[in-house]
Amino acid sequence: MESSAEIKKEKLEPWGIGGWLILIVLGLAFSALTSGIYILNDLSVFFLDKESWDYVTSPETGIPGLSYGLIYELIFHSLITIGSIYMIVIMYKMKKYFPIRLTIFWILILVMNLINIIYTLSIYSQIPEFDLASAQQGIWDSIIRNFLTCIIWIPYLFKSKRVKNTFIL
């Protein structure tokens, strides 16, 4: 007697986490890893070291608004880390709402990244010795990467036979 999963797999080909979906898994895992490392290596210095936090928030030595920017960065990268892990989990559980939640997640990340960039540039433009030109190159790379992710993978999530068969859209 065949199980319902075996019958489903026979009737719906392609099916399962494979093909191009593997690239989505790898991208989500990479995002979770890099954002988690960024939190631990770069942001934690400001939040765990009282002297660093006092320096950043002091009216005499700090940059106005930088503390809010750091808090936003922490929230933003925590969302990427936790959200990416959550997306991988619901993907492997083959939940039917995975494609729509991943779409919302990617659009949210794009919007939050734009907000982060605008705020960061407004803060750092106040510092005369800050190299705004080189910072803008990294910023454009980030926006282009997020935008390309959305325009390539969101249509894939709703047009692919594998996605439809795996998540039964």
Side-chain angles (χ1 to χ4, degrees):
M1 185 106 196
E2 292 183 72
S3 72
S4 63
E6 289 170 347
I7 293 169
K8 178 181 174 183
K9 188 174 180 183
E10 284 177 15
K11 290 181 181 177
L12 302 173
E13 289 291 336
W15 181 84
I17 309 298
W20 292 104
L21 283 175
I22 293 296
L23 293 179
I24 292 176
V25 173
L26 293 173
L28 288 168
F30 182 75
S31 293
L33 185 67
T34 56
S35 283
I37 289 171
Y38 177 70
I39 291 169
L40 293 174
N41 287 344
D42 298 338
L43 290 178
S44 64
V45 171
F46 295 104
F47 295 104
L48 298 178
D49 181 26
K50 184 171 175 12
E51 288 179 25
S52 296
W53 184 254
D54 289 344
Y55 182 82
V56 167
T57 57
S58 167
E60 296 83 32
T61 57
I63 300 165
L66 182 59
S67 59
Y68 297 116
L70 290 171
I71 292 169
Y72 186 85
E73 283 268 327
L74 179 63
I75 293 168
F76 177 59
H77 286 281
S78 296
L79 174 70
I80 292 172
T81 303
I82 295 166
S84 294
I85 293 168
Y86 172 72
M87 291 300 148
I88 292 169
V89 168
I90 66 171
M91 182 184 202
Y92 274 100
K93 288 185 175 184
M94 296 183 191
K95 298 295 185 179
K96 68 180 180 180
Y97 49 77
F98 168 75
I100 191 70
R101 289 200 181 167
L102 184 59
T103 299
I104 292 167
F105 177 68
W106 278 336
I107 292 171
L108 179 65
I109 295 302
L110 178 63
V111 169
M112 287 184 73
N113 197 13
L114 288 169
I115 292 168
N116 185 37
I117 287 166
I118 292 166
Y119 188 75
T120 301
L121 287 177
S122 70
I123 291 171
Y124 285 114
S125 64
Q126 301 171 25
I127 306 169
E129 60 272 0
F130 183 70
D131 184 11
L132 196 57
S134 64
Q136 285 178 334
Q137 180 58 45
I139 287 168
W140 281 112
D141 291 348
S142 174
I143 290 297
I144 290 169
R145 187 173 46 253
N146 287 148
F147 184 71
L148 286 175
T149 296
C150 289
I151 66 169
I152 292 170
W153 291 108
I154 291 173
Y156 170 78
L157 289 173
F158 294 98
K159 293 191 183 278
S160 165
K161 275 188 177 181
R162 179 178 294 277
V163 173
K164 285 178 183 167
N165 292 342
T166 301
F167 302 105
I168 311 296
L169 298 178

